[in-house]
Amino acid sequence: MEKPIILTGIKSTGTPHLGNYIGAIKPALKMASDKSNQGIYFIADYHALNSVQDPQAFRKYTLEIAAGWLALGLDPEEVIFYRQSDVPQLLELNYILACVTPKGLMNRAHAYKASVERNTKDGLNPDHGVNMGLYTYPILMAADILLFQSDKVPVGKDQIQHVEYARDIAQSFNHTFGGTFKLPEHVIQEETELLPGLDGRKMSKSYGNTISLFEEAGKLQKLINKIKTDSSQPGEPKDAESSTLFQLYKEFAETDEIQQMRSRYTEGVGWGEVKKEVFYVINRELEAPRKKYQEFLNNPQAVKNILNKGAIKARNLAEKKLSVIKEKAGM
Ligand code: ADP
Ligand code: TRP
């Protein structure tokens, strides 16, 4: 029997931060290491193109994201790892799927609807600033998922609707042309909590409160020193659960370390001490990957070679799958 296919796309729209790592990258890497599945992981650069339209930044993000995943241990021999724009079959399928997708489905997609609502509120034309890449974003995502007959699709909560759309579009095609596509399921990492940023709100690019995943050690300690605390002094008991520093610590420390840290809060540990410990556990986990990441950035050709090898595997598979799909539709 063929192994179940686990597929996920990583949009290359910025430099990854610790929140992305804890919430998305780390759980996906864990899943990729499970040998009972066939992992397919790709850089969704076409999906980035509707917002990143500066070629230099575009290239930089693709390289950084690829280098990041490789540095953190994604094994390109085990999983198929490629760049979406290296697989032209996806765009053929994108068009075929567009022809069985009702326009109303796109009108109801969250990202598009949010833009329309924002524009209406601001008194602008509802479609102001909306390009067709954004509007048809869910169809390309359905093509990503359906081309490879994916079984499971790990995503963040904001992407569930898109996976459901892929199912709807698959059903629409199956209904029109006969059983062709498997219906994919989304997988959500429920257990990971939202990592707070420097100001205590959710760590997010849009709040400018992030710590980059591969920040160099000195800068990392400086950023941690900036994290907001209350004004309690060393010796005064502190509440661990409401502390941003503790929430960060928890995600990187071992179970016994977490327990000890909780007691130290009760005993009134000083904030300066906690900041050193938070740095220690984060740095412990990321020191080796950071080194590898720098090596990849200094040798972009090595990253390109890996992506090119992955693209060959992906295209071979895509070609076979696509010919079956086209055949069904009479081509
Ligand atoms: P941002 O909010 O910085 O724009 P994205 O929306 O690009 O981040 O998120 C990419 C992935 O990282 C998603 O799967 C999301 O669930 C996860 N993620 C983002 N921020 C956090 C966070 N602070 N804590 C945990 N997971 C996060
Ligand atoms: N839309 C996803 C995001 O913004 C990225 C993505 C593109 C994706 N194609 C995919 C995720 C296919 C899973 C499967 O994060």
Side-chain angles (χ1 to χ4, degrees):
M1 245 213 15
E2 282 187 8
K3 290 181 183 178
I5 295 200
I6 297 222
L7 171 140
T8 199
I10 305 112
K11 208 161 61 161
S12 43
T13 44
T15 307
H17 55 72
L18 292 182
N20 300 143
Y21 173 63
I22 292 297
I25 302 175
K26 206 173 167 181
L29 281 170
K30 199 164 155 226
M31 221 178 279
S33 64
D34 178 351
K35 301 258 171 13
S36 57
N37 298 310
Q38 173 61 58
I40 303 188
Y41 285 58
F42 66 95
I43 300 174
D45 59 342
Y46 272 137
H47 276 116
L49 188 60
N50 75 62
S51 61
V52 183
Q53 302 191 336
D54 164 355
Q56 236 177 325
F58 194 89
R59 269 190 287 271
K60 173 173 174 271
Y61 293 152
T62 306
L63 174 65
E64 283 182 356
I65 300 275
W69 281 77
L70 292 167
L72 290 163
L74 187 79
D75 180 353
E77 298 299 322
E78 290 291 336
V79 304
I80 305 180
F81 182 53
Y82 58 95
R83 200 166 60 141
Q84 190 184 30
S85 63
D86 281 334
V87 184
Q89 290 83 357
L90 287 166
L91 297 187
E92 288 191 66
L93 182 58
N94 177 70
Y95 183 77
I96 296 170
L97 296 179
C99 294
V100 296
T101 303
K103 176 169 176 284
L105 201 63
M106 296 302 104
N107 293 340
R108 291 190 292 277
H110 292 326
Y112 172 65
K113 249 175 75 179
S115 295
V116 169
E117 277 161 19
R118 215 176 307 121
N119 285 333
T120 311
K121 204 172 122 236
D122 297 346
L124 296 165
N125 181 301
D127 283 332
H128 176 82
V130 176
N131 59 49
M132 287 303 286
L134 173 66
Y135 186 61
T136 60
Y137 187 106
I139 306 181
L140 180 58
M141 185 154 158
D144 290 329
I145 295 171
L146 299 177
L147 182 57
F148 297 105
Q149 301 282 2
S150 312
D151 295 278
K152 298 223 151 63
V153 184
V155 283
K157 286 206 179 84
D158 60 319
Q159 296 295 314
I160 296 176
Q161 187 196 42
H162 289 152
V163 182
E164 283 170 352
Y165 274 20
R167 289 171 69 95
D168 293 343
I169 295 171
Q171 276 173 315
S172 171
F173 186 98
N174 289 350
H175 180 74
T176 311
F177 298 113
T180 305
F181 293 117
K182 275 195 214 171
L183 302 185
E185 282 172 26
H186 66 257
V187 183
I188 300 289
Q189 272 83 35
E190 292 291 356
E191 71 275 17
T192 48
E193 288 175 42
L194 282 180
L195 201 76
L198 298 176
D199 57 0
R201 291 186 293 172
K202 173 200 167 201
M203 188 179 287
S204 171
K205 286 192 287 282
S206 24
Y207 295 147
N209 63 355
T210 62
I211 299 179
S212 293
L213 178 49
F214 297 110
E215 202 65 86
E216 144 306 288
K219 186 87 191 295
L220 177 63
Q221 178 73 74
K222 276 203 188 113
L223 285 170
I224 292 169
N225 291 344
K226 276 196 195 159
I227 293 173
K228 264 200 183 159
T229 61
D230 62 23
S231 56
S232 60
Q233 296 300 309
E236 286 181 55
K238 297 171 174 58
D239 177 39
E241 300 312 321
S242 61
S243 152
T244 302
L245 283 166
F246 186 71
Q247 280 170 290
L248 274 166
Y249 186 78
K250 253 189 348 193
E251 296 299 334
F252 290 89
E254 305 293 336
T255 315
D256 56 332
E257 290 173 327
I258 299 171
Q259 269 167 0
Q260 280 166 24
M261 183 54 89
R262 205 176 263 119
S263 318
R264 289 174 69 189
Y265 265 72
T266 318
E267 290 156 11
V269 63
W271 290 124
E273 265 316 281
V274 180
K275 287 176 172 173
K276 277 194 200 127
E277 299 286 343
V278 170
F279 168 78
Y280 174 78
V281 289
I282 298 182
N283 194 55
R284 177 177 66 189
E285 181 157 334
L286 294 174
E287 196 172 18
R290 185 193 304 140
K291 221 171 132 226
K292 276 199 197 141
Y293 178 72
Q294 280 311 331
E295 283 166 15
F296 277 124
L297 289 195
N298 293 337
N299 186 2
Q301 195 53 47
V303 179
K304 281 185 201 151
N305 291 345
I306 292 171
L307 288 174
N308 288 343
K309 266 172 99 177
I312 292 170
K313 285 193 225 165
R315 280 196 298 264
N316 283 340
L317 194 58
E319 196 57 55
K320 285 192 201 114
K321 305 270 187 198
L322 184 67
S323 64
V324 176
I325 298 163
K326 286 171 82 172
E327 175 79 36
K328 287 272 191 175
M331 280 167 259

